[in-house]
Amino acid sequence: MQFGIFSVSDVTTDPTTGHTPDDTERVRAMLTIAKHADEAGLDVFATGEHHNPPFVASSPTTMLGYLAGVTKNITLSTATTLITTNDPVRIAEEYAMLQVISDGRMDLMMGRGNTGPVYPWFGQDIRQGIPLAIENYALVRRLWTEDVVDWEGKFRTPLQGFTSTPRPLDGVPPFVWHGSIRSPEIAEQAAYYGDGFLHNNIFWPMTHTKQMVQFYRQRFEHYGHGRADQAIVGLGGQAFMRKNSQDAWDEFRPYFDNAPVYGHGPSMEDFTRDTPLTVGSPQQVIDRYGSFIDDVGYYQRQLFLMDHAGLPLKTVLEQIDLLASDVVPELRKIADAKRPEGVPAAPPTHAERVAAAQAEGKAGATHVGDGGDEYTGKRAEELLS
């Protein structure tokens, strides 16, 4: 199982000091956090995509492209790539470029986002969110897997003889996750293509998470991609730790109580009971997260939100160190012991995807003049019917 962190890139005032970072400070802190996670031995760093205050991560590929050059091992990903309001042609080209720059050390998670006003800002209608996600992703797949594309749809201008450049690394597109916390249509989409499904359940009880993951698994098997328990699943999470549990509660409480997302709402006691947020000792995090496999089955990626609510950079780096040194090694042991035979231990690497594509004769062109074997993504209309 992979373990990593994701950032929503919020700019929030530290309630204990009154300090509010400016945008530059916050962006540079995210870069420091990602590099530290790589040095600490975590598996994944993921950034969200937002186009409104108080968030600053408006250009994931710019950030991840830089990080590809200054990190060594960590997988670079998105916690959301806005499939509904980004042009699918730009998604195809920008993430193929990131794939080339990172030498395949990346993947991405398609999502609709959680900010309604973003739709009209980019010329779209929020009421068309699901159809946009379906049509746009179908086009992204064709642009990655076909050398020359003729296409016509509902939400953008037609394409005639269009070639997306650069071509995917080694002729194989990046691995894609689809993220949703409430829409079974997105879980269906992930299952239809045999892609990964990430349920970022940081605000949801396990009963809801279990239902969404089970639905995706059932549909994954229905479409013939493998057994239900072989589907590629990821979960979100939140934790704040100190060696002494009470110290963690005392330190984190003002951040929780004043956070713009959940502050002034449910108490921290209620929130930690009903959602994955775990405040306490490393052992309490191990006990809590080590049990999630019993609820949803073995899953391949666990991400934690740690740099939010105004927490100072120094504290976030300390949290990463605790996660990497005290928590992740124990969670790896638990996950390995609970993994059924034949179930992937982690999402497929680029090398594994290349080998599988070559074995099936589905590796595409690596240059627009190469030709090569092409394969066509399934039509969006089938999902909409």
Side-chain angles (χ1 to χ4, degrees):
M1 185 182 293
Q2 291 182 335
F3 296 92
I5 57 174
F6 73 98
S7 177
V8 296
S9 76
D10 62 307
V11 177
T12 302
T13 299
D14 184 332
T16 68
T17 65
H19 174 69
T20 304
D22 63 25
D23 291 357
T24 298
E25 180 183 348
R26 184 68 174 99
V27 169
R28 289 176 177 170
M30 290 176 64
L31 299 177
T32 298
I33 288 164
K35 290 185 284 187
H36 193 78
D38 180 49
E39 293 164 358
L42 296 183
D43 301 312
V44 184
F45 171 80
T47 174
E49 178 186 349
H50 297 278
H51 299 276
N52 57 291
F55 308 102
V56 295
S58 59
S59 181
T61 53
T62 303
M63 176 173 285
L64 298 179
Y66 168 81
L67 288 172
V70 296
T71 59
K72 295 180 179 180
N73 300 307
I74 201 165
T75 295
L76 303 168
S77 186
T78 55
T80 308
T81 295
L82 296 178
I83 187 62
T84 46
T85 50
N86 281 309
D87 181 356
V89 174
R90 295 300 298 144
I91 290 177
E93 293 187 331
E94 289 179 358
Y95 284 94
M97 179 69 79
L98 177 61
Q99 186 192 33
V100 170
I101 290 172
S102 66
D103 197 25
R105 187 164 49 91
M106 56 79 67
D107 55 34
L108 67 158
M109 186 175 76
M110 303 291 190
R112 291 176 294 146
N114 59 5
T115 306
V118 73
Y119 284 81
W121 294 342
F122 290 88
Q124 300 296 349
D125 184 345
I126 193 172
R127 294 169 295 183
Q128 298 297 317
I130 295 293
L132 274 163
I134 292 172
E135 180 177 297
N136 284 355
Y137 182 57
L139 177 54
V140 169
R141 285 180 64 93
R142 288 192 61 188
L143 292 168
W144 277 339
T145 58
E146 297 180 30
D147 199 21
V148 180
V149 173
D150 294 316
W151 178 89
E152 184 172 354
K154 179 179 179 181
F155 297 110
R156 79 172 316 278
T157 53
L159 298 173
Q160 295 181 346
F162 183 81
T163 297
S164 176
T165 60
R167 303 307 297 151
L169 181 66
D170 301 317
V172 175
F175 184 73
V176 171
W177 301 81
H178 300 260
S180 180
I181 56 176
R182 61 187 177 274
S183 300
E185 296 92 339
I186 301 303
E188 176 85 9
Q189 183 183 38
Y192 185 76
Y193 290 108
D195 294 338
F197 177 66
L198 195 144
H199 184 70
N200 193 2
N201 53 318
I202 58 174
F203 299 123
W204 293 87
M206 184 52 73
T207 51
H208 174 77
T209 301
K210 184 176 180 179
Q211 290 176 342
M212 288 289 288
V213 172
Q214 284 182 336
F215 174 74
Y216 160 69
R217 290 189 185 280
Q218 291 166 359
R219 301 305 289 169
F220 180 93
E221 184 172 293
H222 168 80
Y223 287 117
H225 300 298
R227 304 193 317 254
D229 65 349
Q230 294 173 322
I232 305 300
V233 173
L235 297 182
Q238 293 173 281
F240 188 86
M241 297 168 284
R242 290 303 183 195
K243 295 292 186 179
N244 180 282
S245 177
Q246 190 59 53
D247 290 343
W249 276 82
D250 293 342
E251 183 176 349
F252 187 64
R253 188 177 292 278
Y255 295 95
F256 178 92
D257 288 346
N258 292 280
V261 175
Y262 43 54
H264 313 290
S267 68
M268 194 162 77
E269 287 79 3
D270 289 344
F271 207 84
T272 54
R273 182 193 64 230
D274 296 334
T275 80
L277 174 63
T278 304
V279 180
S281 68
Q283 188 59 53
Q284 287 173 300
V285 176
I286 294 166
D287 293 342
R288 186 89 180 276
Y289 283 81
S291 70
F292 287 175
I293 295 174
D294 302 327
D295 294 305
V296 302
Y298 183 90
Y299 59 104
Q300 284 73 23
R301 177 174 287 181
Q302 175 67 64
L303 298 181
F304 291 89
L305 175 62
M306 290 186 156
D307 69 325
H308 63 121
L311 287 166
L313 177 59
K314 177 177 180 294
T315 300
V316 174
L317 300 182
E318 291 168 351
Q319 292 295 303
I320 291 171
D321 288 338
L322 281 171
L323 183 70
S325 63
D326 291 22
V327 175
V328 166
E330 297 305 313
L331 288 179
R332 289 195 200 280
K333 294 176 185 177
I334 293 170
D336 289 345
K338 292 183 177 182
R339 182 166 65 93
E341 184 177 355
V343 171
T349 65
H350 177 71
E352 291 169 343
R353 286 171 57 76
V354 169
Q358 291 175 342
E360 297 175 10
K362 292 182 178 179
T366 57
H367 176 68
V368 293
D370 284 349
D373 296 328
E374 299 175 357
Y375 66 103
T376 303
K378 299 176 182 178
R379 300 172 63 212
E381 291 84 351
E382 295 180 33
L383 272 175
L384 289 170
S385 63

